[in-house]
């Protein structure tokens, strides 16, 4: 697949003067809950009401969704508020039921995108329906797998497409529930500038206090929309309680977020430079993170050296590291002088750390 202008037409047709906002609970719980949230979102920037009906859970035993019954509640919310409705589909049967209930936007969940068989089944079931389909990134950071799912839908004549960035799972615990790995969606955006890119900060964060900053980063990176889990009583939500925000918090976020919507040559330059600067910020964050991780390992080595009475400075090993880094740097167009300076500084910090450990 290559970039095609038509990919984003559905979004342009909405005629919004701000990014698309999809909001609503992680799960539809009761009819009252769905309707109340829909009414609280009705006159906000949110255009689409989301709610999970079938919930894919990593482990069994958690709330697995109300099933097809919830589609009636969504349909009623649509009738009462005029909002468009969206839900997750994970097989052909879900698609059939969602179509029957006039669901406007169908999304493919992160655990489904990983399976080409299921994505194909969904694509076949959607063929010729003219629906809008959003593909969440697969749980693992694999751009080809993500694009492959988009391609299967495109080949099945589904042209109203978009992607949702919801982060990637990692074995080690980080501050995020799912690591954003911004570089992946940035690469995707560079290759498919017309494919709408939507951020799901809720599943990246896993907690509500960092959702705002994630949204702002995405807007600075020129994302086209946000999908935010919203519930009037987040703490008592039946799923993903820690990450949901109330409709009034959502309204406040929309007021406080800086959205770049002006156009013109000077603005275009400003937008471009802001996007590039945000990309640099993302990488700088990663650099600090990696340096911190490296230093933690140096600390462990310090402890080991202490218990075995070994000297901190191991000149032979250090020279080997430097030699390798200079060669690797050359491949990336980084001068020997620069690599030497950076790694001498890193090495000195390690030695300081280990000296402290050994002398404590
Ligand atoms: C969801 O949107 O509630 C959901 C289950 O998301 P994901 O597929 O990103 O885990
Ligand atoms: Mn959820």
């Amino acid at each position: 697949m290559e970039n095609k202008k038509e990919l984003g037409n559905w979004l342009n047709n909405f005629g919004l003067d701000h990014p698309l906002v999809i909001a609503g609970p992680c799960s539809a719980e009761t009819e009252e809950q769905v309707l109340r949230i829909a009414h609280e979102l009705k006159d906000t920037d949110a255009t689409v009401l989301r709610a999970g009906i079938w919930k894919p859970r990593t482990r069994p035993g958690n709330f697995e969704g109300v099933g097809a019954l919830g589609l009636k509640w969504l349909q009623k919310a649509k009738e009462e508020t005029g909002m468009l409705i969206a839900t997750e589909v994970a097989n052909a049967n879900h698609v059939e039921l969602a179509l029957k209930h006039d669901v406007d936007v169908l999304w493919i969940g992160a655990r489904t995108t990983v399976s080409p068989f299921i994505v194909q089944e969904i694509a076949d079931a959607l063929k010729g329906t003219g629906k809008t389909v959003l593909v969440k990134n697969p749980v693992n950071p694999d751009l080809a797998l993500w694009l492959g799912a988009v391609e299967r839908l495109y080949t099945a004549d589904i042209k109203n497409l978009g992607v949702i960035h919801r982060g990637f799972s990692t074995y080690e615990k980080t501050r995020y529930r799912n690591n954003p790995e911004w570089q992946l969606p940035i690469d995707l955006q560079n290759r498919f500038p017309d494919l709408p890119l939507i951020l799901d900060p809720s599943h990246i964060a896993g907690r509500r206090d960092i959702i705002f900053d994630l949204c702002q980063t995405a807007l600075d990176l020129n994302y086209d929309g946000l999908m935010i889990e919203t519930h009037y009583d987040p703490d008592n939500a039946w799923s993903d309680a820690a990450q949901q925000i109330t409709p009034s918090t959502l309204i406040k976020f929309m007021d406080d977020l800086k959205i770049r919507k002006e156009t013109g040559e000077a603005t275009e330059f400003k937008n471009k430079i802001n996007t590039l600067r945000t990309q640099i910020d993302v990488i700088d964050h990663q650099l600090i993170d990696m340096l911190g991780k490296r230093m933690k390992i140096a600390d462990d080595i310090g402890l080991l050296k202490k218990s075995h009475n070994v000297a901190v400075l191991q000149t032979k090993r250090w020279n080997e590291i430097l030699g390798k880094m200079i060669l690797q740097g050359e491949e990336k167009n980084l001068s020997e002088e620069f690599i030497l300076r950076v790694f001498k500084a890193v090495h000195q910090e390690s030695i300081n750390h280990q000296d402290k450990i050994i002398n404590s």
Side-chain angles (χ1 to χ4, degrees), residues 26 50 55-56 88 107 109-111 136 166 200 203 229:
C26 176
R50 66 148 281 158
K55 300 304 297 178
E88 171 175 352
W107 83 80
R111 292 164 196 76
K136 285 203 173 195
R166 52 77 80 194
D200 170 348
H203 290 88
E229 286 189 339

Side-chain angles (χ1 to χ4, degrees), residues 268-280:
E268 210 158 281
F269 165 78
K270 236 175 56 198
N271 284 353
K272 278 201 179 124
I273 204 152
N274 274 336
T275 303
L276 292 171
R277 281 183 176 149
T278 309
Q279 293 185 9
I280 291 263

